[in-house]
Amino acid sequence: MEEDAEKSLVSVLTGQVAKPPPIWLMRQAGRYLPEYREARAQAGSFWSMCTDPKVAVEVTLQPVRRFGFDAAIIFSDILTVPFALGCEVGFSDGSGPNLPPVNSICGLETRAEIWQPKLDPVYQALELVRTRLGSGTTLLGFAGAPWTLATYMAGGHGGDQQRAAKLWGYREPETFAALLELIGDCVAQHLIWQIEAGADVVQIFDSWAGGLPDQAYDSWVIGPTRSVVEKVRATHPQAKIIGFPRASTLAGYELYAARTGVDAISVDTAVPRIWMVKFTEATVVQGNLDPLLLVVGGSALERAVNCIVESMNDRRFIFNLGHGVLPETPPEHVTQLVAMVRAVR
Amino acid sequence: MEEDAEKSLVSVLTGQVAKPPPIWLMRQAGRYLPEYREARAQAGSFWSMCTDPKVAVEVTLQPVRRFGFDAAIIFSDILTVPFALGCEVGFSDGSGPNLPPVNSICGLETRAEIWQPKLDPVYQALELVRTRLGSGTTLLGFAGAPWTLATYMAGGHGGDQQRAAKLWGYREPETFAALLELIGDCVAQHLIWQIEAGADVVQIFDSWAGGLPDQAYDSWVIGPTRSVVEKVRATHPQAKIIGFPRASTLAGYELYAARTGVDAISVDTAVPRIWMVKFTEATVVQGNLDPLLLVVGGSALERAVNCIVESMNDRRFIFNLGHGVLPETPPEHVTQLVAMVRAVR
């Protein structure tokens, strides 16, 4: 109880304004850190890092040690869920993840007792991280959202404007809804197990929520996310959940905050500051520095950070990027960023 | 004079509501048409189609003949402007256009008398199309917006989240502004010459306007576009101009409509219908059917088209897609679409 009271990120999610705002960065454990590249070289592959709890613990803690972030996010990948569902997930350097495309839910694994051992390395890693983390540092678990996972499963890879998933959804709305529901069951279960393994907060990544017509956004993003949140809360009513429907329209973000039941929305780089302020009337907001500004550094970074923290002053706000840290980011720029945010009074 | 009065697209741009709304499609001349593929095979390359007026005229007219669209858009490419500025533009099938990346404006051509002969095939094609087009059919010219052209020129190709252009703009705002201004001079001149060659309306494509932080959107999208519009209007005060800042935020579209001086905004697929209606209070709106629905056809297409035309009933509206026609689109779905839109009373 006392421990929780010290976690600034958790306290913001329960409605407090924190000064300075808590800060962590999406992909804060990553290739921009020399210690990460070393762990990566030893592990041999990205996927083996995700599935070996010892390695996952080490890389999860690296950025917290180096920068003193307010949160650690467990090192894992959103494709753990398709993996639990029976997909053969592959990672090749440079071209992103790939898996054999799915065009029906037949053949996907529906039994939670089969999912559990495949996802277990994540829970082991969370338990280990929890024991090594300072009491003031929030531990985040995460999962991909049903829609975003469906785009990978239908397309066999990311990008490509989510064409295969959209075609499936337009052509066969019922079977596509069944796919989203099955994925959602596994996502919810995965979040529940992560909370039980020690995650204080969980984040749902809907990286491909952008570009959808409003009806599709409602059916494929809002509905399935609400269903995941409800399932998690049925087991853990106090669960703290952040949603990141990246590249949604401003109306989409507003709807997402109002309808899905998440405690906070993480917003992408294009969301104007005036809208971020508006969103804080209804929810907690996390975001949204352009990761390229962290590559650039200097006065451009300083100006952008000041704009964000001044706009969000006295608001329920978590400082983050609008997308993940880029591999070419100089670590010293991250040090500067943390110092700037911590200087907020 | 009488001729203009019959063009429903032009009349909508001058403030009239048309029933049924005028319809044309971005990339209506393209690979989904067998007659286009034939012309393409004969011409040998995409670029030679753009630079041979006779071929450009033929493929410009093909979709108008087949579907009876309300507008013909001249067959050309946005990279004609970088080409006029001295860049060596290459097109390889499948991977999109490429050009040697530029990191300074030194070496770019600033003299309009050098641009003119390089752009001349476009004007020749417009003059020929004008003589062959029915009096009720609007002839559209177009150009890429300065920001989008800068992303190709800085990056050497499209996509890649416009990283090179953003880095340049963040690191050296002054030299980047100079690049945008030079591109804008050539874009404005190209639009002016297209109008003089017979274009009734011109469209500015800012295909990569999405994902920019608000300050950058203002400096790189709004400002340079306003400057192009002002330059065109300085020569042709009555010029009719449509702007397409694709994937802008809703606030971005609103700002674009209010500040750039365009007569109409073309909106992407993700813009909710309620916002399209809102935008028509200030401007004419064009859009925004998902091109994938034109691939799918059937009842999904029918429902989506009905939703759009019902929402935009009694509004100043031009029916279009939210992005270009996809190569796998069955032409008969386009026939059905035109019939559905023409049935609006």
Side-chain angles (χ1 to χ4, degrees):
Chain A
M1 295 295 114
E2 267 179 33
E3 270 192 348
D4 272 0
E6 290 179 300
K7 287 174 186 138
S8 66
L9 196 148
V10 172
S11 85
V12 169
L13 291 179
T14 54
Q16 309 289 310
V17 171
K19 281 195 188 189
I23 175 172
W24 70 280
L25 305 181
M26 291 186 273
R27 287 194 204 271
Q28 63 188 22
R31 274 194 284 156
Y32 73 109
L33 291 177
E35 58 268 36
Y36 174 94
R37 292 196 295 270
E38 201 175 302
R40 170 79 176 71
Q42 280 176 18
S45 80
F46 173 78
W47 190 244
S48 68
M49 292 174 85
C50 294
T51 49
D52 180 336
K54 279 210 300 224
V55 182
V57 169
E58 167 57 19
V59 294
T60 298
L61 292 170
Q62 284 171 351
V64 180
R65 273 189 220 123
R66 190 193 262 255
F67 304 112
F69 286 125
D70 292 292
I73 182 161
I74 197 67
F75 187 82
S76 181
D77 192 83
I78 62 168
L79 295 183
T80 48
V81 162
F83 173 70
L85 289 167
C87 301
E88 283 177 46
V89 177
F91 288 86
S92 55
D93 281 355
S95 70
N98 59 79
L99 53 169
V102 161
N103 56 26
S104 138
I105 62 166
C106 303
L108 293 176
E109 181 54 61
T110 60
R111 288 165 300 170
E113 63 270 27
I114 306 291
W115 300 339
Q116 208 279 340
K118 290 179 143 181
L119 296 166
D120 196 54
V122 181
Y123 316 130
Q124 288 182 42
L126 280 161
E127 283 169 12
L128 282 165
V129 170
R130 184 70 281 171
T131 64
R132 303 217 203 147
L133 215 54
S135 63
T137 310
T138 300
L139 179 54
L140 288 157
F142 73 92
W147 161 249
T148 286
L149 295 178
T151 70
Y152 284 99
M153 291 168 71
H157 50 79
D160 193 26
Q161 300 167 316
Q162 303 79 56
R163 194 173 291 200
K166 287 173 88 174
L167 284 173
W168 184 347
Y170 285 143
R171 285 186 172 132
E172 297 183 30
E174 294 81 11
T175 64
F176 191 65
L179 174 71
L180 292 173
E181 197 180 343
L182 173 58
I183 299 171
D185 286 343
C186 188
V187 166
Q189 191 56 69
H190 188 36
L191 295 176
I192 290 167
W193 284 331
Q194 288 184 74
I195 291 166
E196 291 167 357
D200 302 300
V201 176
V202 290
Q203 178 155 327
I204 301 171
F205 287 87
D206 219 345
S207 310
W208 300 114
L212 293 173
D214 48 6
Q215 183 62 54
Y217 186 82
D218 210 50
S219 307
W220 303 340
V221 173
I222 299 283
T225 301
R226 182 176 54 219
S227 167
V228 166
V229 171
E230 281 169 0
K231 281 171 188 156
V232 173
R233 293 256 167 79
T235 304
H236 296 291
Q238 305 302 319
K240 295 280 162 286
I241 307 175
I242 304 171
F244 182 32
R246 187 167 69 85
S248 292
T249 67
L250 298 171
Y253 276 119
E254 206 161 35
L255 206 67
Y256 188 99
R259 299 254 185 96
T260 60
V262 296
D263 300 285
I265 56 171
S266 197
V267 302
D268 68 84
T269 289
V271 173
R273 294 187 301 277
I274 176 171
W275 277 79
M276 288 172 68
V277 170
K278 194 174 169 221
F279 291 154
T280 61
E281 289 162 19
T283 190
V284 177
V285 173
Q286 172 174 281
N288 76 338
L289 183 73
D290 188 340
L292 278 172
L293 282 163
L294 205 52
V295 174
V296 169
S299 60
L301 172 63
E302 211 167 313
R303 270 196 308 275
V305 172
N306 285 338
C307 273
I308 293 173
V309 294
E310 278 166 24
S311 306
M312 303 306 282
N313 191 25
D314 288 317
R315 303 275 164 175
R316 294 178 296 160
F317 175 59
I318 300 163
F319 196 100
N320 208 315
L321 302 178
H323 202 175
V325 178
L326 294 164
E328 65 267 39
T329 306
E332 55 274 24
H333 291 178
V334 179
T335 308
Q336 287 162 20
L337 168 66
V338 173
M340 277 185 253
V341 172
R342 289 275 159 76
V344 172
R345 290 289 169 266
Chain B
M1 292 297 112
E2 265 179 34
E3 270 193 348
D4 272 0
E6 290 179 300
K7 288 174 186 140
S8 66
L9 196 147
V10 172
S11 84
V12 169
L13 291 179
T14 53
Q16 309 291 310
V17 171
K19 281 194 189 192
I23 175 171
W24 69 281
L25 305 181
M26 291 187 272
R27 286 193 205 274
Q28 65 189 22
R31 275 195 284 156
Y32 74 110
L33 292 177
E35 59 268 35
Y36 173 94
R37 292 195 296 271
E38 201 175 302
R40 171 81 176 71
Q42 281 177 16
S45 79
F46 172 78
W47 190 246
S48 68
M49 290 175 86
C50 294
T51 48
D52 180 336
K54 277 210 300 226
V55 183
V57 168
E58 166 58 19
V59 294
T60 298
L61 292 170
Q62 283 172 351
V64 180
R65 271 188 221 124
R66 189 192 264 255
F67 304 113
F69 287 125
D70 293 292
I73 182 162
I74 196 68
F75 187 82
S76 181
D77 192 83
I78 62 168
L79 295 183
T80 48
V81 162
F83 172 70
L85 288 167
C87 301
E88 282 175 46
V89 177
F91 287 86
S92 54
D93 281 355
S95 70
N98 59 80
L99 53 171
V102 160
N103 56 27
S104 138
I105 61 165
C106 304
L108 292 177
E109 181 54 61
T110 60
R111 288 166 298 170
E113 63 270 28
I114 306 292
W115 300 339
Q116 208 277 343
K118 289 178 143 183
L119 296 166
D120 195 54
V122 181
Y123 316 131
Q124 288 183 40
L126 279 161
E127 283 169 13
L128 282 167
V129 170
R130 183 69 283 170
T131 63
R132 303 218 204 146
L133 215 53
S135 63
T137 310
T138 300
L139 178 54
L140 287 158
F142 73 92
W147 161 249
T148 287
L149 295 178
T151 70
Y152 284 98
M153 290 168 71
H157 50 79
D160 194 25
Q161 300 166 316
Q162 304 77 57
R163 194 172 292 199
K166 287 172 88 174
L167 285 173
W168 184 348
Y170 285 143
R171 285 187 171 132
E172 297 182 30
E174 292 81 11
T175 63
F176 191 65
L179 174 70
L180 291 173
E181 198 181 341
L182 173 58
I183 298 171
D185 286 343
C186 188
V187 166
Q189 191 55 70
H190 188 36
L191 295 176
I192 289 167
W193 284 331
Q194 288 184 74
I195 290 166
E196 292 167 357
D200 302 299
V201 176
V202 291
Q203 177 154 328
I204 301 171
F205 286 87
D206 219 345
S207 310
W208 301 114
L212 293 173
D214 47 8
Q215 183 62 55
Y217 186 83
D218 210 51
S219 308
W220 303 340
V221 173
I222 300 284
T225 301
R226 182 177 52 219
S227 168
V228 166
V229 171
E230 282 168 359
K231 281 171 188 154
V232 173
R233 294 257 167 80
T235 303
H236 296 291
Q238 304 303 320
K240 295 281 162 284
I241 307 176
I242 304 172
F244 182 33
R246 186 168 69 86
S248 292
T249 67
L250 297 171
Y253 276 119
E254 208 162 34
L255 207 65
Y256 188 99
R259 298 255 186 95
T260 60
V262 295
D263 300 284
I265 55 171
S266 197
V267 302
D268 68 85
T269 289
V271 172
R273 294 186 301 276
I274 176 172
W275 277 80
M276 287 173 67
V277 170
K278 195 173 168 221
F279 291 153
T280 59
E281 289 162 19
T283 190
V284 177
V285 173
Q286 172 175 280
N288 76 340
L289 183 74
D290 188 340
L292 277 171
L293 281 163
L294 205 51
V295 174
V296 168
S299 60
L301 172 63
E302 210 167 315
R303 270 196 308 275
V305 172
N306 284 338
C307 273
I308 293 173
V309 295
E310 278 166 24
S311 306
M312 303 307 282
N313 191 23
D314 288 318
R315 304 274 166 177
R316 292 178 298 160
F317 175 58
I318 300 162
F319 197 100
N320 207 315
L321 303 178
H323 203 174
V325 178
L326 294 164
E328 65 267 39
T329 306
E332 54 275 24
H333 292 177
V334 179
T335 308
Q336 285 161 22
L337 168 66
V338 172
M340 277 183 253
V341 172
R342 290 276 159 76
V344 171
R345 288 288 169 268

